[in-house]
Amino acid sequence: MAATECDALVIGGGPAGLMAADTLLSAGRRVILAEQRPSLARKFLMAGKSGLNLTKDEDTETCLAAYGEAAGTLAPMIRAFPPAAVTRWAEELGQPLFTGTTGRVFPTAMKASPLLRAWLARLAGLGLDARTRWAWRGWAGADTLFDTPDGPVRLAPSVTVLALGGASWARLGSDGAWAGILEATGAPVVPFAPANAGLRVDWSAHMAAHFGAPLKNVALGAGGRTTRGEIVIARTGLEGGALYPLSPELRENAALAIDLAPDVAPETLAARIAARPSRESASNRLRKAARLSPAARALVLECARPLPRDPQSVARLLKAVPVPHAGLAPLDEAISTAGGLAWPGLSPGLEIAARPGVFAAGEMLDWEAPTGGYLITACLATGLWAGRHAAET
């Protein structure tokens, strides 16, 4: 079968792939975008069902710090498309935005579909040729192979951008199957691991009454890192935004401790406990002296029985409740993934050294970040960066 020549090929129809296609089209390149699912940006739409957190209203350097070890490598890309640029981009697509109390930026519509429709309309106007249900199968020499509803297809693109996602939410198309194809070419790939994932805890039966209950205004510590916010007691363990930044430490099986009264000094807490009648039950003492919610009291009794009797020891316990756990939730249940294409195998322009003329973007790359707009920001920024460098090829 002879291959069909094409100018520029983008494989993957999520935010990184769409941004790469936008950039290539804007540079005058003719673009075919191939997506294995029946429609584009499925994970993007799913993420936006409960409010699409596009970015964080903060300066570029503060934003970069959220990317941890990858911050230095991502720096030129994030600086080229920082949070302020993400905001302008969405507004230029006709989407009004607002900033929440934590600095997170959302579309006023609180969902992804209006933004995606406006973006796809723009891309169609630029001439994007989108092919859905095209499953990438790798290469045969210079040809790029696809399985399509009309049978096998071969393309011979001048330049390619891969934006195939990580390995979470496989049902939406981000299955990580590309890793084996690229490893076979000699591209180094860091094994995938869950990021922004729930924590597995083997609860006893008495915790069932509290499944779905929030633990508000708590501080969490693991492996020397601390976070603060809200988590939720789930059937399988713990979930929530305050937990997710600790994914790197919890992946290494670091112990988790929860401060249930982060605004109260241990001495003050101990004094309140000491003032309660000695005959009072442990649960009532926690409720009245420590002012803990039913869910918080249940957590203490679940994880720290038998409770100490002296007020100082109880206070210390409430400031660091140890939560035995079985590690992070499985990869496919994670919001995002760590691992992917290793940076040493990429050029500064995100070209894959083992496959010249092929660039990569988005969650395929070996970076991770907490929720809060950082995931989409980096996907857009790396898509733009790869698209710019591919356009010059």
Side-chain angles (χ1 to χ4, degrees):
M1 178 191 299
T4 301
E5 292 187 3
C6 70
D7 182 19
L9 173 65
V10 175
I11 306 178
L18 292 175
M19 183 57 81
D22 196 329
T23 307
L24 284 158
L25 289 164
S26 298
R29 303 298 291 263
R30 298 183 308 281
V31 179
I32 292 176
L33 185 147
E35 164 58 47
Q36 69 172 334
R37 306 303 293 173
S39 58
L40 302 177
R42 288 195 162 196
K43 187 174 178 182
F44 182 69
L45 287 172
M46 179 65 75
K49 278 195 171 182
S50 57
L52 180 66
N53 185 191
L54 281 173
T55 193
K56 192 81 174 287
D57 184 15
E58 60 190 15
D59 65 83
T60 305
E61 299 310 308
T62 301
C63 174
L64 273 171
Y67 298 97
E69 294 181 359
T73 309
L74 286 170
M77 303 164 214
I78 300 295
R79 289 181 182 133
F81 200 69
V86 176
T87 298
R88 286 194 302 273
W89 164 77
E91 290 174 338
E92 288 170 0
L93 286 170
Q95 303 305 302
L97 308 175
F98 74 94
T99 302
T101 55
T102 60
R104 299 183 180 202
V105 178
F106 300 87
T108 302
M110 286 300 287
K111 52 187 178 181
S113 51
L115 173 60
L116 180 60
R117 283 196 299 270
W119 196 6
L120 294 180
R122 167 185 160 79
L123 293 171
L126 290 171
L128 179 67
D129 183 358
R131 315 282 182 93
T132 55
R133 296 188 172 91
W134 276 39
W136 180 54
R137 296 300 183 230
W139 295 284
D143 297 348
T144 306
L145 310 180
F146 294 94
D147 286 338
T148 81
D150 298 319
V153 169
R154 288 182 176 232
L155 295 181
S158 298
V159 67
T160 301
V161 177
L162 301 179
L164 292 159
S168 64
W169 298 30
R171 68 189 185 280
L172 301 179
S174 183
D175 58 15
W178 54 264
I181 296 173
L182 286 172
E183 283 182 311
T185 72
V189 178
V190 178
F192 295 118
N196 295 302
L199 190 67
R200 295 294 192 185
V201 181
D202 185 16
W203 302 121
S204 65
H206 97 279
M207 289 296 289
H210 303 282
F211 293 164
L215 297 173
K216 298 184 177 182
N217 190 28
V218 295
L220 291 78
R225 183 185 299 196
T226 60
T227 65
R228 185 162 170 173
E230 180 177 319
I231 57 175
V232 175
I233 297 173
R235 180 182 58 82
T236 55
L238 296 172
E239 299 275 356
L243 179 71
Y244 299 150
L246 300 177
S247 290
E249 289 75 22
L250 295 171
R251 276 200 305 269
E252 301 299 321
N253 294 315
L256 175 67
I258 301 178
D259 183 349
L260 295 171
D263 294 321
V264 182
E267 299 79 11
T268 302
L269 200 53
R272 290 178 184 172
I273 295 168
R276 302 304 308 170
S278 60
R279 64 181 180 279
E280 199 166 53
S281 70
S283 182
N284 276 339
R285 181 187 287 193
L286 295 175
R287 176 173 63 87
K288 294 179 180 179
R291 301 168 189 171
L292 299 185
S293 69
R297 297 198 304 272
L299 181 74
V300 175
L301 295 174
E302 172 78 4
C303 298
R305 275 182 160 174
L307 298 184
R309 293 299 302 173
D310 67 286
Q312 290 77 20
S313 296
V314 175
R316 286 194 296 271
L317 171 64
L318 298 183
K319 298 291 289 181
V321 179
V323 181
H325 64 83
L328 294 178
L331 189 62
D332 196 49
E333 296 177 18
I335 293 174
S336 60
T337 53
L341 281 170
W343 295 107
L346 298 164
S347 76
L350 298 182
E351 187 174 19
I352 300 173
R355 192 79 196 186
V358 179
F359 296 75
E363 281 197 74
M364 288 186 71
L365 309 177
D366 181 23
W367 59 270
E368 65 176 303
T371 56
Y374 302 109
L375 298 173
I376 292 178
T377 295
C379 285
L380 295 172
T382 56
L384 176 69
W385 193 260
R388 282 179 176 173
H389 287 83
E392 296 169 357
T393 301

